[in-house]
Amino acid sequence: MMKKGKTAGIFAAAALAACMLGGCANALQDGTRALENGQYEEARDIFETAAEQEDGEKSAEAYRGLGMAYYEMEEYGSAMEAFQTALDRGAGQTVQIYNLMGICAMNVADYESALEYFQSGLALADTESEGETDTDLIREMRYNEIVCCERTADWESAKQKAAEYLQDYPGDEAVEKEAEFLETR
């Protein structure tokens, strides 16, 4: 899974850019700065207030920031709800947000939802131009697909996904071991 520091940095940069382009209120900028500085509780409080006071795109961005703050505090159920609200309110669908939602779902043992989020993110990545999506992120999501299939006891899908993964990423010892394990199922 992606390291939290890298995830926070990627999100914070994207959120700050979105705020600057959209002319967001200072609250969203303050919340983004708090995220960048690792002040997750402060960021949560700022984004909660902004989400209640803002509407439209600003509200969606506030919920996205709120989701990131909850994610960093390892409050995965709350993070997933905030990310979904962000999407419902019009936040841009990104591979990164679907990955985060998938990780959150895995952390609350909702592997069916996690698999749907990862698949949505991968489908979105397929529509992007080459080089737009972080290849490590795609690899991580594909690995997590295998894990989700295993956790839901969908052995055939797990075998298929492991074989496809190894075609694209040969020599990954962890997945090679998983593929061996899956052959016993």
Side-chain angles (χ1 to χ4, degrees):
M1 289 186 194
M2 182 179 282
K3 293 184 175 141
K4 287 187 181 243
K6 183 177 179 184
T7 304
I10 292 169
F11 175 78
L16 188 56
C19 283
M20 289 182 175
L21 290 173
C24 290
N26 288 336
L28 295 180
Q29 292 174 345
D30 292 344
T32 301
R33 264 191 286 286
L35 274 177
E36 290 172 334
N37 293 326
Q39 300 165 323
Y40 305 124
E41 291 175 3
E42 180 179 339
R44 177 201 59 210
D45 295 344
I46 292 169
F47 286 126
E48 280 179 344
T49 300
E52 292 169 6
Q53 294 176 350
E54 301 292 346
D55 59 355
E57 185 179 327
K58 291 178 184 178
S59 175
E61 290 306 317
Y63 274 104
R64 187 189 313 239
L66 183 58
M68 196 65 231
Y70 280 129
Y71 176 84
E72 293 295 341
M73 294 187 309
E74 300 181 1
E75 294 181 27
Y76 299 113
S78 296
M80 211 168 29
E81 289 176 29
F83 288 136
Q84 187 59 59
T85 302
L87 290 173
D88 292 345
R89 293 197 177 199
Q93 294 182 23
T94 65
V95 174
Q96 293 82 3
I97 200 166
Y98 282 118
N99 182 55
L100 290 170
M101 292 174 77
I103 292 169
C104 288
M106 287 177 73
N107 276 291
V108 297
D110 183 356
Y111 297 102
E112 290 176 5
S113 293
L115 183 59
E116 289 177 21
Y117 292 133
F118 292 130
Q119 289 173 340
S120 294
L122 290 167
L124 186 59
D126 286 343
T127 66
E128 293 181 347
S129 301
E130 193 168 320
E132 270 187 58
T133 304
D134 180 356
T135 55
D136 289 338
L137 180 61
I138 298 302
R139 186 174 181 165
E140 172 188 340
M141 292 173 75
R142 290 187 59 199
Y143 175 82
N144 285 335
E145 273 189 308
I146 298 166
V147 172
C148 290
C149 288
E150 287 180 358
R151 295 294 179 121
T152 59
D154 183 353
W155 307 115
E156 288 306 312
S157 292
K159 284 180 198 178
Q160 178 185 351
K161 290 185 183 304
E164 291 168 358
Y165 180 98
L166 288 171
Q167 281 182 328
D168 293 339
Y169 309 106
D172 186 317
E173 291 180 20
V175 176
E176 286 174 351
K177 288 180 183 179
E178 286 299 315
E180 287 177 27
F181 164 75
L182 289 166
E183 289 302 317
T184 66
R185 297 288 173 200

